[in-house]
Amino acid sequence: WEELEYEFEEFEWDFEELEIEEIEEEEVENTESEIIAIPGGFKPPHKGHLDVVKHLASKAKKVIILVSPKPRQSKAGDVFDLDQALKIWNVYLNAAGLSNKVSAIMSPDNSPVKQAIDFLSNEDDDPAFAQPGDVIILGCSNKPDERGNVDCSRFTGIEKYAREGVGVINPMNPQFTKYGFIPKPPVLSASQFRESVKTGDIDMWLPEEVLGN
């Protein structure tokens, strides 16, 4: 917790100044080839984000959190940037005992869909992105929003962008719904968290693993 508190003190200072083979359910029972990619902004990450990671970390050999480079601002103009997001993710993952299986890295893109496409296509052959032989599972929520749109639906058809030899599992497909995640109420948002940081009233946004340290 002291480490996380220090990160939020830093915030205060910053404020001042191709064809894919069909993947069948029986083909993905062996988690040794499965990698879960979770794209997003995470400015800043909160306990709801960590709940998603914990759920998915039990279903694959590795989880990669793709963090967008775009900074976000609170209504008061307080800035939350990439470096802060990565540091806080590291605090969360260490506290949850997941740092050996989960990593947070920068994505060059701001859109979660574009993040996923670049991760799958890996045109620059980045060793941290999808490699031939990998089966990539896109981390997302199966819960409909107020307009009835399911988060996972934005990744429909994304398999076509994967590089040769990379399999893709979309939790929207009925046989793979176990990979989707339905958040527990209350549903949290990073934008609400940003507004709370200024007041210091942030306990509801922090993982239990962090509050207990």
Side-chain angles (χ1 to χ4, degrees), residues 4-198:
L4 184 64
E5 190 171 41
Y6 174 73
E7 292 300 336
F8 280 107
E9 287 175 2
E10 280 192 342
F11 285 164
E12 294 298 322
W13 284 105
D14 289 341
F15 296 161
E16 301 294 330
E17 336 173 69
L18 324 159
E19 208 175 305
I20 282 301
E21 55 184 290
E22 191 81 21
I23 302 294
E24 300 294 341
E25 186 168 19
E26 57 269 19
E27 293 181 55
V28 296
E29 290 180 352
N30 181 2
T31 60
E32 288 307 304
S33 64
E34 294 177 25
I35 298 173
I36 292 176
I38 307 176
F42 309 112
K43 307 295 187 331
H46 53 66
K47 69 178 181 181
H49 294 139
L50 184 62
D51 285 343
V52 174
V53 170
K54 289 191 293 186
H55 167 77
L56 295 174
S58 66
K59 302 183 181 300
K61 70 169 183 178
K62 182 164 62 173
V63 177
I64 299 174
I65 303 164
L66 302 170
V67 183
S68 74
K70 183 179 181 178
R72 298 284 185 174
Q73 286 188 335
S74 68
K75 292 177 181 177
D78 301 329
V79 178
F80 298 78
D81 62 22
L82 170 68
D83 185 59
Q84 293 162 345
L86 293 175
K87 288 179 179 178
I88 294 173
W89 263 125
N90 286 335
V91 171
Y92 289 0
L93 297 176
N94 285 329
L98 292 173
S99 57
N100 64 329
K101 190 172 186 178
V102 183
S103 59
I105 64 174
M106 185 197 81
S107 168
D109 301 293
N110 293 316
S111 159
V113 174
K114 187 67 165 62
Q115 287 176 316
I117 290 172
D118 283 355
F119 184 86
L120 293 172
S121 61
N122 196 8
E123 294 179 357
D124 296 328
D125 198 26
D126 186 331
F129 284 22
Q131 300 293 320
D134 289 341
V135 175
I136 307 300
I137 304 158
L138 298 172
C140 54
S141 169
N142 281 334
K143 184 175 181 178
D145 62 19
E146 55 191 20
R147 292 173 294 182
N149 299 321
V150 176
D151 178 48
C152 291
S153 64
R154 59 183 166 176
F155 299 122
T156 299
I158 207 167
E159 300 88 1
K160 64 184 178 184
Y161 296 102
R163 68 186 297 183
E164 186 175 2
V166 172
V168 181
I169 292 174
N170 189 328
M172 282 295 289
N173 295 336
Q175 69 267 41
F176 300 128
T177 53
K178 67 178 181 180
Y179 294 105
F181 180 80
I182 298 180
K184 303 173 185 176
V187 178
L188 305 175
S189 74
S191 60
Q192 293 170 331
F193 191 5
R194 287 194 293 271
E195 303 307 320
S196 298
V197 168
K198 194 68 172 179

